[in-house]
Amino acid sequence: GNSVTQMEGPVTLSEEAFLTINCTYTATGYPSLFWYVQYPGEGLQLLLKATKADDKGSNKGFEATYRKETTSFHLEKGSVQVSDSAVYFCALSGGGATNKLIFGTGTLLAVQP
Amino acid sequence: GAVVSQHPSRVICKSGTSVKIECRSLDFQATTMFWYRQFPKQSLMLMATSNEGSKATYEQGVEKDKFLINHASLTLSTLTVTSAHPEDSSFYICSARKGPNEQFFGPGTRLTVL
């Protein structure tokens, strides 16, 4: 079945450091891929998405490229801020009638001043 | 925009009582909504898919008689935790589907069963 694997956290960085959170997936067909962010005590917010191979999703300085050959969708940001501290979830949607989302386990990012 | 609300945001109840959580899509209609459960420091686990006007579809291992779902309108789905016990304490999150590839999430409901 479909699944998502993302790097375990926590990831602790200093402000302005470069961020990479790895995400790989297993899926049949051509899933859509997503990164969601969850701030403390809140629900999930869509950060970015890509719906086909080689697409690059970007938002708020974050980027991720849909790599079919490596089945990956790594999240990157060139310079993190304290306000980026949150839990980041990689997810895929296999399509179909209900479009269920399958989530990775989440990665806690802590950015220190 | 696409806004999904949940009510209540926090609820504390005694063991054996039932608790209802509401999920509303405020500015769009959603024929499909999803209910998730999130344990501390873990990912979201899909509990069920709520379909407007029909029965919900439950994931394997989720008791449908314990977690009652009603999707009576295009903007409202409810999850009722019946005869709640401490092990039901969790963070419950709903989402509403808008378009083929987008889900918008509610802010979550923290349930604590004493």
Side-chain angles (χ1 to χ4, degrees), chain A residues 2-4 21 23-35 48-58 62-76 90-95, chain B residues 101:
Chain A
N2 296 345
S3 65
V4 175
I21 300 177
C23 171
T24 56
Y25 68 90
T26 302
T28 55
Y30 302 93
S32 295
L33 302 173
F34 307 83
W35 277 100
L48 53 85
K49 66 179 182 180
T51 57
K52 61 182 188 297
D54 299 325
D55 268 2
K56 177 186 283 188
S58 61
F62 291 89
E63 292 183 341
T65 300
Y66 189 142
R67 303 280 188 204
K68 189 172 184 298
E69 64 275 14
T70 54
T71 61
S72 65
F73 193 56
H74 304 321
L75 182 68
E76 296 182 336
C90 185
L92 72 79
S93 172
Chain B
N101 253 322

Side-chain angles (χ1 to χ4, degrees), chain B residues 13-78:
Chain B
C13 69
K14 293 182 179 180
S15 187
T17 60
S18 294
V19 174
K20 180 185 284 188
I21 303 170
E22 293 185 349
C23 177
R24 293 182 185 272
S25 55
L26 298 185
D27 52 0
F28 66 101
Q29 294 182 332
T31 56
T32 303
M33 293 184 174
F34 301 89
W35 286 96
Y36 296 85
R37 184 172 178 179
Q38 186 179 29
F39 294 95
K41 299 183 180 180
Q42 294 189 27
S43 189
L44 279 74
M45 299 301 296
L46 178 65
M47 298 174 65
T49 302
S50 172
N51 303 298
E52 188 269 335
S54 65
K55 291 182 179 179
T57 303
Y58 290 82
E59 296 299 302
Q60 192 172 8
V62 178
E63 298 177 59
K64 61 181 180 181
D65 294 329
K66 180 166 185 62
F67 298 100
L68 300 178
I69 290 172
N70 184 276
H71 194 156
S73 77
L74 288 171
T75 59
L76 173 65
S77 176
T78 61

Side-chain angles (χ1 to χ4, degrees), chain A residues 32 34 36 38 41-46 49 51 89 93 95-101 103-106, chain B residues 32 34 36 38 41-44 46 49 51 59 91 93 97 99-108:
Chain A
S32 295
F34 307 83
Y36 285 86
Q38 184 179 32
E42 298 183 14
L44 273 68
Q45 300 175 29
L46 178 64
K49 66 179 182 180
T51 57
F89 292 94
S93 172
T98 58
N99 254 346
K100 292 192 289 189
L101 279 172
F103 287 89
T105 52
Chain B
T32 303
F34 301 89
Y36 296 85
Q38 186 179 29
K41 299 183 180 180
Q42 294 189 27
S43 189
L44 279 74
L46 178 65
T49 302
N51 303 298
E59 296 299 302
F91 195 52
I93 302 175
R97 190 175 76 177
N101 253 322
E102 287 191 287
Q103 287 185 36
F104 292 89
F105 286 79

